[in-house]
Each structure stands twice: as structure tokens, then as C-alpha cells.
Amino acid sequence: MSAVSTYLDHNATSPLRPAAFDAMVEALKATGNPSSVHRAGRAARARVDAARRQVAALVGAMPSEIVFTSGGTEANNLAITGTGCMRVLASAVEHDSVVKAAPDAEIIPVDGEGVIDLAALERMLASSKAPTLVSVMFANNETGVLQPIADVVRLARVTGALVHCDAVQGTGKAPVDLHGLGVDYLGISAHKFGGPTGVGAFVVRGNAPFVTDRRGGGQESNRRAGTENVAGIAGFGAAAEAARAGLDVDHFRERLEAALLAIAPDVRVFGAGTKRLGNTSCISMPDVKAETQVMALDLAGVCVSAGAACSSGKVTRSAVLAAMGVSPAVADTAVRISCGWNTESEDIDRLIGAWRDLYIRVHSSDIKSQARAA
């Protein structure tokens, strides 16, 4: 096994940024409940308020619109369950935190690139006058494909529908602006861009309707009961501040995909024909199962993830690729490679080398046959 570890699975979780670590350590050294009125409580409240401003600045929101949560899943669940809408329309490529929170949702189809079918959405919106919530993610967690959120909002407003956007995967990697997009609700998570796990935010625009299902104290302006996770929130804020500089990794993705296509011209890059996050490649290795690739690359010291989701040891086929019309045989060969704030050129070189070695080992007989024929 290689002693070198190259981490290219930032869409699963990104390493903690130094600024976030330092902010958390300082918060953990202190004592105080942010709801207390004494000096220790006021100091804790000041940390939470500072982080609220930092997170709001990252997503183009007002601090009063930020509700701290345990992460993106809770944020998305709050949007689905707290708007009072009888009807939910969700894209076919949504994350499980939306899909399982709205099991009766009507599914908006996507095209072969994974982009929502706006004409289908328009027809669906016009088919019922029931109070409706439209849930469409900002960027897909598997392919990085960006959705036309402004167009979704435009169509929704014609019928008075509300719009929720799961921005967990896009925040910190591409510009996300609550008011610029015009959505009513955003879900975001700290650990996707270098903050700690276990903390996120539900962002509620202005006076958008929301009724909480959290009962208890009056924390988060009565929208999410429970004592705030001060250390986690402080780290979230510091990571948000650092992430405002943007993520300049598009060149890594372009170099990586060009190199793999040169090695194997029949490689497929999913979503390559449309706009994607600059950090994400979902790519196939012909005839090699995704789990085989993940294990082989791991032995070479490179961490990526399978396009197929694994739950409790059972591998299931990607619902995202299925919705895009990708055949099961091809979908089973897809892996996701995702860069982040600390990715370096050497990481891409190491992945390309390990991928090439695996491809040659698996296809060595084919390569020899082609050489003899030439």
C-alpha cells in the first residue's frame, strides 16, 4: 500500500481549514451558554452572531435569515416539512435528504446531462393550484452539474409556488446568492467547504413562510430550538469567511479529464456537455466496476468515491445517473473525483498515474492486441 495519501473526495467532506480549527479551539476554551445574560454568555453569543454574519455574507443573505442547524440534511428537512405546502415537486437528481423527506413528491425529469426539464416543470406547475414547493438543488453532489435555478424561480413565481434550493454541494465552490437567485430557502453545510461536521444552516428569505417542528427554548429566533453548538458554529463562520475567496480548481478538473480521455478515449465524463462545478468529475473507466477502482486507487494512496452509493455495506446503483438515462453497465463503472481548498497539482498527477496503472493492468491484453495489430 502506498504511504502517500491524496484526498480527492471533497464532495463527501472537505478537510478542516486551519482558520476553522483555530476558531473552534478558542470557542472550546471558553465557557458560556449563548442564551445566558452574564459575561460568559454574552461572549458565546458574540461568537454565534459573528459566525452568523460570516455565513450570511457567503450566501448573499441577511444575518437574520440564517438558522443554524446540525447540517444540510436537517436544513433540507426543515424546508420540506416547514413550509406548509401540500404539494412538493422535486428534481429527479435530488439528494436523499430531500427525496426521503418528501416521499410523495412529484418528480421533475432531467435530460441526459442531468439538467432539469424546464418545460416539464412549467406543465407540472400549471396542473394544480395546490400550495406548492419546488425543490431543485444548486449543484449535483455526484456529477457537479449546475441547475438553472433562476429559471426555476421565474416559473415558480407565475403560479405562486415557493422554491427550496439544496445548496450544500455548491456553497463555497461556486457563487451562491440567496437574493440573487430569488429562492425562498437554502440548505447549506459547513463540512463541504472546510468547516466542521455536524453544523449547517437553513436560510429563510425575508418573510417566507416557515413553521418549525422543533419545540423547546426560543433559540434561533424561535425557528430551531436547542442550545447552539457554539464551537461548531464558530468553525462554520471561519470556514465561510475563508471560502468567500472562491475555489479556483477548474484547471485541475480540465487537466484531469483530458489526461484520462487520452489514456482511454472511450471514457465517459458525465455532465460534460453542460455547466458543472469546477471541482467535480464523475467519470467512467470502461469495464471496471466503481468499487474496484475505489479500492485499487486507495491502495495507491488516492482517495475518491464510487458513483454508486453504499449504505450499510450494500452497494446500490446511482439514482442520479439512472435519471440521466445512463445504462446500468456504464453507471456501475462511474467514480467521483472532487477537489477542494487544499488540492495541489501533485494530487492530480498522482491520481492520473494511479488511474493509468489500473487501466493498463485491467486492459493489458487488449492493449497488447491493439499494438500487434498496428
Side-chain angles (χ1 to χ4, degrees):
M1 180 182 293
S2 172
V4 176
S5 182
T6 289
Y7 187 80
L8 292 171
D9 196 17
H10 287 258
N11 283 12
T13 196
S14 198
L16 193 66
R17 293 177 185 261
F21 177 86
D22 292 343
M24 293 179 72
V25 169
E26 288 304 309
L28 287 167
K29 287 179 180 178
T31 299
N33 186 316
S35 294
S36 298
V37 297
H38 49 61
R39 67 181 63 189
R42 295 196 303 272
R45 172 55 55 194
R47 284 191 170 89
V48 172
D49 288 345
R52 199 183 306 277
R53 292 190 294 271
Q54 291 170 316
V55 173
L58 179 62
V59 295
M62 299 294 292
S64 60
E65 296 171 321
I66 302 295
V67 180
F68 287 120
T69 66
S70 64
T73 292
E74 183 186 356
N76 289 336
N77 272 251
L78 289 174
I80 298 297
T81 62
T83 61
C85 291
M86 299 170 57
R87 184 183 186 222
V88 177
L89 308 182
S91 88
V93 293
E94 292 303 305
H95 187 268
D96 274 354
S97 60
V98 169
V99 172
K100 293 185 178 179
D104 297 324
E106 298 172 45
I107 303 303
I108 312 161
V110 297
D111 64 18
E113 299 291 349
V115 178
I116 190 172
D117 184 336
L118 292 170
L121 172 60
E122 186 172 22
R123 290 192 298 271
M124 294 169 75
L125 285 167
S127 68
S128 173
K129 294 183 179 180
T132 300
L133 175 70
V134 180
S135 184
V136 178
M137 60 181 13
F138 182 87
N140 188 262
N141 49 299
E142 292 186 34
T143 63
V145 168
L146 300 172
Q147 296 294 346
I149 300 299
D151 290 328
V152 171
V153 171
R154 175 179 55 80
L155 293 175
R157 293 295 176 249
V158 173
T159 61
L162 298 169
V163 180
H164 160 248
C165 181
D166 170 6
V168 167
Q169 209 55 251
T171 303
K173 300 168 185 172
V176 174
D177 187 322
L178 174 77
H179 291 276
L181 292 170
V183 299
D184 300 290
Y185 314 98
L186 282 177
I188 60 178
S189 186
H191 74 103
K192 300 297 187 181
F193 54 86
T197 56
V199 62
F202 176 45
V203 190
V204 186
R205 183 176 62 86
N207 295 318
F210 172 66
V211 178
T212 184
D213 63 353
R214 300 295 189 270
R215 303 290 181 260
Q219 292 91 349
E220 297 302 294
S221 300
N222 292 304
R223 295 175 295 187
R224 202 266 188 176
T227 301
E228 292 92 344
N229 172 9
V230 178
I233 289 170
F236 187 7
E241 182 70 27
R244 289 184 67 188
L247 190 63
D248 182 20
V249 294
D250 298 51
H251 57 294
F252 288 151
R253 187 195 71 186
E254 292 165 4
R255 180 158 65 89
L256 164 69
E257 292 177 356
L260 299 193
L261 284 164
I263 296 167
D266 52 347
V267 155
R268 181 168 173 185
V269 180
F270 301 100
T274 191
K275 295 178 180 178
R276 291 178 290 156
L277 291 174
N279 81 311
T280 305
S281 292
C282 184
I283 193 164
S284 68
M285 179 184 284
D287 304 319
V288 184
K289 294 287 188 180
E291 52 265 38
T292 300
Q293 296 178 58
V294 170
M295 289 186 289
L297 292 172
D298 186 43
L299 289 172
V302 180
C303 300
V304 301
S305 65
C310 182
S311 177
S312 300
K314 183 178 180 181
V315 176
T316 57
R317 189 161 290 127
S318 167
V320 171
L321 296 182
M324 293 166 60
V326 178
S327 70
V330 174
D332 287 348
T333 68
V335 296
R336 180 186 67 189
I337 302 159
S338 47
C339 304
W341 64 270
N342 64 345
T343 300
E344 298 181 353
S345 182
E346 292 78 7
D347 296 320
I348 305 303
D349 294 337
R350 196 169 295 120
L351 170 62
I352 292 170
W355 199 94
R356 179 190 296 111
D357 291 345
L358 174 59
Y359 182 84
I360 291 173
R361 286 202 307 272
V362 172
H363 296 87
S364 58
S365 60
D366 293 338
I367 293 170
K368 290 176 182 177
S369 298
Q370 290 171 9
R372 284 194 296 269

